[in-house]
Amino acid sequence: MVVQSSRKVETVLLSVSATTTMSLSFATSPTIVKYNVNWGDDVKTTHSNSSTANKTYSTPFTGDIRITSSTGNPSLFTNFISNSNNFNFNISSLLRFRGITSLTLGGSNTVSGNIQDFRLGLTNINITGSNVLTGDVVDFKLGLTSLRIVGSNTISGTVSGLRVINNIEIGGNNTISGNLSGIQLGQNLFNIGGQNTISGDLVDFKTGLTQLRITGNNTITGNLVDFKSGLSVLDISGQNTITGNLVDFKTGLVILTIQGNNTISGDLVDFKTGISQLTIGGQNTISGNIVDFKSGLNIIHIQGQNTIGGNI
């Protein structure tokens, strides 16, 4: 993506690869401003604020499409939504969208660059595809409330460096470290894939966290009694050493996966209603009769020296 200037009209070029259909939209401020699309095959269309522009090519198209506003100023774009497109550009190009607050790129995108180049003012970032973003989490700008980047990213840093972002989902081979106590109050979804080495005690989980997924070589410790109410999804891989009794699981937990050297005990009758997936690795000593499994449980995997009986 590059920007060309011709007199007072700024044209934003979006590079796409082997695309047969395209769908995108821009919100503008003021809303009276329209946006124009040159689809790269000499077809040009004009669209009003937030309306969707659709395109079907007769053969797969690789090249640039050109975007302009009816005023010639791309800073009047506030929201960019792309559905199932194949964009290929560096995020530094997005700096030309000086007024943008929300970016959603669906499809098989290949977005690259350093996260420090995301523009200040963005509150929502949602990018799917085979992205290869790098950088340190401290470089995410203040004000970002929702972050989802799928792909082969290699983002590093510590959890304390993450700002107060309500929803965090970063796929890839990330290497994020730090202590759970560094997770900011106000975050409710925390999902980071990769070779992370996050440590800490369950007591450090913040109130308000509803989903936590951390892959890697984490070393989380603590007792189940310290889980906060409101957590519905917990998925932690690594060399964790979590202890406690099943009776201490909070109501509302739906998905539980804890890998590691855990030593959890208790009787199946103490499982709370509502759990649908349960995976616990380690040297657990769980007992009881399978008749005591609650209805709705459809996946169960418990390692250890368990003494579970009953008829299937």
Side-chain angles (χ1 to χ4, degrees):
M1 178 194 291
V2 297
V3 173
Q4 297 178 342
S5 181
S6 175
R7 298 179 181 176
K8 294 184 179 180
V9 177
E10 289 187 78
T11 302
V12 180
L13 273 62
L14 304 178
S15 298
V16 296
S17 176
T19 296
T20 55
T21 60
M22 291 203 68
S23 175
L24 54 84
S25 70
F26 288 92
T28 59
S29 179
T31 58
I32 194 173
V33 176
K34 296 181 179 181
Y35 68 95
N36 310 304
V37 184
N38 181 331
W39 296 101
D41 58 355
D42 295 325
V43 175
K44 302 176 183 179
T45 55
T46 299
H47 307 270
S48 59
N49 166 60
S50 297
S51 64
T52 300
N54 296 302
K55 172 66 175 178
T56 300
Y57 296 94
S58 58
T59 58
F61 173 75
T62 296
D64 296 327
I65 63 172
R66 292 166 168 78
I67 309 294
T68 59
S69 75
S70 57
T71 65
N73 185 358
S75 66
L76 301 180
F77 295 141
T78 59
N79 187 355
F80 177 23
I81 299 176
S82 159
N83 299 311
S84 302
N85 301 315
N86 300 326
F87 284 118
N88 186 343
F89 59 81
N90 189 288
I91 57 174
S92 61
S93 300
L94 296 174
L95 293 172
R96 296 296 183 179
F97 288 114
R98 292 181 289 274
I100 198 167
T101 60
S102 181
L103 174 67
T104 301
L105 302 179
S108 301
N109 305 290
T110 308
V111 178
S112 60
N114 193 292
I115 58 179
Q116 67 182 354
D117 289 328
F118 278 121
R119 172 165 288 284
L120 181 65
L122 271 171
T123 60
N124 172 68
I125 299 173
N126 186 347
I127 306 176
T128 61
S130 301
N131 307 295
V132 285
L133 294 175
T134 61
D136 190 290
V137 294
V138 74
D139 292 321
F140 283 120
K141 301 297 191 292
L142 283 171
L144 190 64
T145 60
S146 182
L147 172 69
R148 180 172 184 255
I149 304 175
V150 178
S152 300
N153 308 293
T154 53
I155 295 172
S156 61
T158 64
V159 292
S160 61
L162 282 165
R163 317 286 186 170
V164 181
I165 305 173
N166 295 338
N167 300 311
I168 300 173
E169 184 177 354
I170 306 175
N173 296 310
N174 309 293
T175 53
I176 294 173
S177 61
N179 195 285
L180 294 176
S181 61
I183 296 178
Q184 304 296 319
L185 186 65
Q187 291 171 347
N188 53 51
L189 189 151
F190 193 92
N191 184 350
I192 301 181
Q195 304 302 313
N196 307 294
T197 53
I198 294 174
S199 61
D201 193 285
L202 299 182
V203 72
D204 293 321
F205 280 124
K206 300 294 192 293
T207 301
L209 193 65
T210 61
Q211 293 189 34
L212 176 71
R213 297 180 188 268
I214 308 174
T215 62
N217 297 312
N218 307 293
T219 53
I220 295 173
T221 62
N223 193 290
L224 298 178
V225 72
D226 292 320
F227 275 126
K228 301 293 191 293
S229 296
L231 192 66
S232 63
V233 176
L234 177 69
D235 189 344
I236 307 174
S237 66
Q239 302 302 311
N240 308 294
T241 53
I242 294 174
T243 63
N245 193 289
L246 299 179
V247 73
D248 294 319
F249 282 124
K250 301 294 192 291
T251 300
L253 194 62
V254 176
I255 298 175
L256 173 70
T257 301
I258 306 176
Q259 300 290 355
N261 299 311
N262 308 293
T263 53
I264 295 172
S265 61
D267 193 285
L268 298 179
V269 73
D270 292 321
F271 274 123
K272 301 293 192 293
T273 300
I275 294 180
S276 63
Q277 297 183 34
L278 175 70
T279 301
I280 305 177
Q283 302 301 312
N284 307 292
T285 53
I286 294 172
S287 61
N289 192 296
I290 61 174
V291 73
D292 292 321
F293 280 126
K294 302 295 191 291
S295 59
L297 187 63
N298 53 50
I299 296 176
I300 181 169
H301 181 196
I302 305 176
Q303 295 177 339
Q305 306 302 311
N306 307 296
T307 55
I308 298 172
N311 296 319
I312 297 177

